Amino acid sequence: MRLDVVTIFPEYLEPLNVSLVGKARARGQLDVRVHDLRAWTHDRHNTVDDTPYGGGPGMVMKPEPWGEALDEIIESGVGEPGDGGDGAVKLPALVVPTPSGRPFTQALAVELAERPWLVFAPARYEGIDRRVIDEYAERLDVYEISIGDYVLAGGEAAVLVITEAVARLLPGVLGNAESHRDDSFAPGAMADLLEGPVYTKPPQWRDRGIPEVLLSGHHGKIARWRRDEAFRRTSHNRPDLIERCDPAVLDKYDRELLAELGWEELPGGRFGRPGPAVEE
Ligand code: 6GU
């Protein structure tokens, strides 16, 4: 997979040299190219932003440097391995990290991991002139993506997040092909539950032991315990996942535990937890 990142802070992408993504690059599984947007400016001050039309706070990134940068990067794919050699031009998907984008999820990471080439366009300031996105959306698949309901100073940290989530899904990047099968949020994982706690040696640490069942060697009991812990953690940290859960995927023990945790099956077939009665 090829990844291009166009940014005014190339140093911000240094972590792409480290750890999982860095190793995937070193092994040739990922071809990462970081570009300085200012290389496509032509004035003495390498200007990339200007004041917004219609007024308002902050600055907007100018369209011309983005247009020149993206044209040159798209053009660089012509004749590269993977364009099929059949004259069919290889085109990237454009990923624009923005707090007003669609939520980044594991399903979206899986979709992006299936693409041979991604170009990231992280913005600083108040965003990129809209005409840039509209222009490239006529030629490329464009993904405007938010990594959560909070506001960052720029999209670079989101590029790191998205890149890591995508890279670990590429064939051969994780050591063990099974490693992401039961990730929290993996499609078809334990019914969209969070993963429960994990333990390793030593068996005693500062007077704290290991849950007895994990030492029992009883695989059925261990699986049951792990599923219960996953439900407890999900109920506590992500009640929205319990509310969305399809009761058809639950067994008798799941239902008993959810009842213990205060959940009830509602007429619509979903789960809900009665809130505190509201005082008049
Ligand atoms: Cl992708 N960018 C910025 N600037 N803020 C964000 C975000 C992205 N996702 C959540 N907040």
Side-chain angles (χ1 to χ4, degrees), residues 40-261:
W40 288 279
T41 57
H42 305 287
D43 64 313
R44 280 196 312 130
H45 297 108
N46 304 119
T47 309
V48 293
D49 63 334
D50 206 335
T51 53
Y53 276 119
M59 300 290 272
V60 175
M61 296 191 97
K62 296 165 63 61
E64 305 97 314
W66 280 108
E68 289 188 32
L70 294 173
D71 284 350
E72 189 173 321
I73 290 166
I74 292 166
E75 181 64 25
S76 76
V78 179
E80 280 223 330
D83 79 349
D86 52 4
V89 183
K90 177 181 162 188
L91 287 175
L94 181 62
V95 179
V96 184
T98 164
S100 40
R102 60 197 270 209
F104 189 53
T105 60
Q106 189 65 24
L108 188 48
V110 168
E111 182 177 337
L112 294 179
E114 287 164 357
R115 315 215 47 140
W117 185 10
L118 301 174
V119 175
F120 289 91
R124 289 269 143 179
Y125 315 111
E126 298 302 309
I128 303 172
D129 186 300
R130 186 67 211 178
R131 293 169 293 180
V132 175
I133 288 93
D134 293 343
E135 164 92 359
Y136 288 94
E138 290 187 355
R139 279 181 267 162
L140 310 176
D141 289 332
V142 176
Y143 294 86
E144 292 184 89
I145 298 176
S146 164
I147 63 163
D149 292 340
Y150 41 80
V151 180
L152 303 170
E156 282 78 6
V159 172
L160 295 176
V161 167
I162 296 167
T163 301
E164 185 159 319
V166 168
R168 65 188 285 284
L169 296 174
L170 299 177
V173 167
L174 276 196
N176 175 355
E178 301 270 81
S179 309
H180 42 73
R181 192 200 47 209
D182 52 49
D183 289 347
S184 293
F185 304 113
M190 296 232 276
D192 286 336
L193 297 176
L194 305 184
E195 283 175 47
V198 295
Y199 301 87
T200 186
K201 279 138 321 255
Q204 288 291 331
W205 178 75
R206 299 190 180 178
D207 291 332
R208 295 169 188 273
I210 304 297
E212 201 69 51
V213 62
L214 296 180
L215 307 170
S216 70
H218 193 302
H219 300 300
K221 283 189 183 156
I222 291 169
R224 183 73 251 166
W225 179 85
R226 287 198 169 134
R227 190 165 169 91
D228 287 354
E229 290 301 307
F231 273 107
R232 288 183 198 282
R233 203 180 260 199
T234 307
S235 174
H236 189 261
N237 292 340
R238 293 294 304 278
D240 59 305
L241 294 181
I242 302 290
E243 282 164 9
R244 259 193 273 151
C245 160
D246 175 4
V249 306
L250 304 183
D251 64 29
K252 179 175 63 146
Y253 303 99
D254 298 336
R255 290 159 198 279
E256 278 170 17
L257 178 59
L258 284 179
E260 239 173 73
L261 295 171

Side-chain angles (χ1 to χ4, degrees), residues 1-5 16 21 25 30-34 163:
M1 170 180 260
R2 173 173 168 186
L3 302 177
D4 289 80
V5 186
L16 296 178
V21 174
R25 288 176 84 171
L30 258 188
D31 171 10
V32 180
R33 307 183 196 181
V34 177
T163 301

